[in-house]
Amino acid sequence: MKYYAVQVATRHEKNFIEQSERCLKAAETAQLLPSSLPRFIFPERLMKIRRQGKNTTELQPLFAGYVFLELEDAVSLELFQLLRHQQYFFRFLKSNQEIVPLRDNDLAILQHFISLGVTALPSKVFFDENDKISVISGPLKGLEGNIIKVDKRKHRAKVQVEFAESQITFDLSFDMMQKEVTQ
């Protein structure tokens, strides 16, 4: 499988996916697309939010402004034309003239989050006697070297990764576990 990144209007990622799926189904029915339909991937994270003294959880995009396509082949001209005419479409990455699948680090990061499911749930962590974070499980597992800031009060870790030739920073929630003391 190949994965392609599509830049869309932030906060309209789901609208873009819905519009695109409707158009793709209509094009498939009319036999206008030569290959199989792409699968849209929009990774989200479950964040703990405290507003006006109340704790809630909220789904937020992991990569705001990006939707990913999973395809068996390259992006066909017909698929490109259909997607670029959707309301919230900006461009394919690298560019509309040079559409390339994700590779190397970009692909590894996306596959890390795909392997966790549609929604990245809070990680399980504990802090050692030196206040160093240790990840037991969850989305932070494997990204420990990318954590640039930890906020214990808000139960968040700020992670910075290189994606699409730029630095992207996002927060991930965590649940603190008690480290078992062995005697």
Side-chain angles (χ1 to χ4, degrees):
M1 287 292 168
K2 295 180 181 178
Y3 296 91
Y4 296 87
V6 179
Q7 188 175 13
V8 298
T10 303
R11 292 187 300 279
H12 294 285
E13 298 92 349
K14 289 182 179 179
N15 295 339
F16 171 78
I17 292 171
E18 289 169 8
Q19 286 178 357
S20 298
E21 286 177 337
R22 274 196 307 272
C23 285
L24 286 169
K25 288 209 190 310
E28 183 184 42
T29 303
Q31 298 179 344
L32 299 175
L33 291 175
S35 61
S36 62
L37 295 180
R39 179 172 79 108
F40 289 92
I41 301 169
F42 179 56
E44 294 182 298
R45 60 199 163 140
L46 191 65
M47 295 297 295
K48 295 177 180 180
I49 309 287
R50 183 177 175 93
R51 287 195 184 114
Q52 298 175 347
K54 294 182 181 170
N55 292 325
T56 61
T57 56
E58 187 176 289
L59 269 180
Q60 296 180 349
L62 192 57
F63 299 100
Y66 292 95
V67 171
F68 301 94
L69 298 179
E70 181 183 71
L71 288 166
E72 292 181 21
D73 298 317
V75 175
S76 66
L77 180 61
E78 295 85 358
L79 178 61
F80 169 72
Q81 292 294 340
L82 196 134
L83 292 177
R84 86 178 181 106
H85 287 98
Q86 299 306 310
Q87 184 175 6
Y88 301 108
F89 176 87
F90 286 153
R91 67 185 177 113
F92 272 91
L93 294 185
K94 183 169 191 178
S95 72
N96 286 341
Q97 290 73 36
E98 188 179 349
I99 301 171
V100 295
L102 296 178
R103 291 183 282 223
D104 305 326
N105 187 52
D106 296 347
L107 181 60
I109 290 169
L110 180 62
Q111 287 178 330
H112 171 76
F113 288 105
I114 289 174
S115 70
L116 299 168
V118 178
T119 304
L121 300 173
S123 296
K124 306 274 187 230
V125 305
F126 70 87
F127 292 88
D128 65 12
E129 58 276 348
N130 297 326
D131 244 12
K132 184 177 179 214
I133 191 169
S134 294
V135 182
I136 300 168
S137 65
L140 288 171
K141 186 81 172 161
L143 296 176
E144 293 92 346
N146 298 74
I147 297 173
I148 57 174
K149 184 179 177 185
V150 174
D151 188 333
K152 283 184 178 181
R153 187 179 68 80
K154 291 183 179 180
H155 293 254
R156 292 184 183 189
K158 189 174 288 294
V159 178
Q160 184 175 36
V161 295
E162 186 172 324
F163 190 83
E165 300 177 1
S166 63
Q167 297 290 326
I168 293 180
T169 305
F170 51 84
D171 290 346
L172 291 172
S173 289
F174 61 80
D175 292 326
M176 285 192 283
M177 309 299 288
Q178 293 295 329
K179 184 176 178 182
E180 293 181 18
V181 180
T182 57
Q183 296 183 13

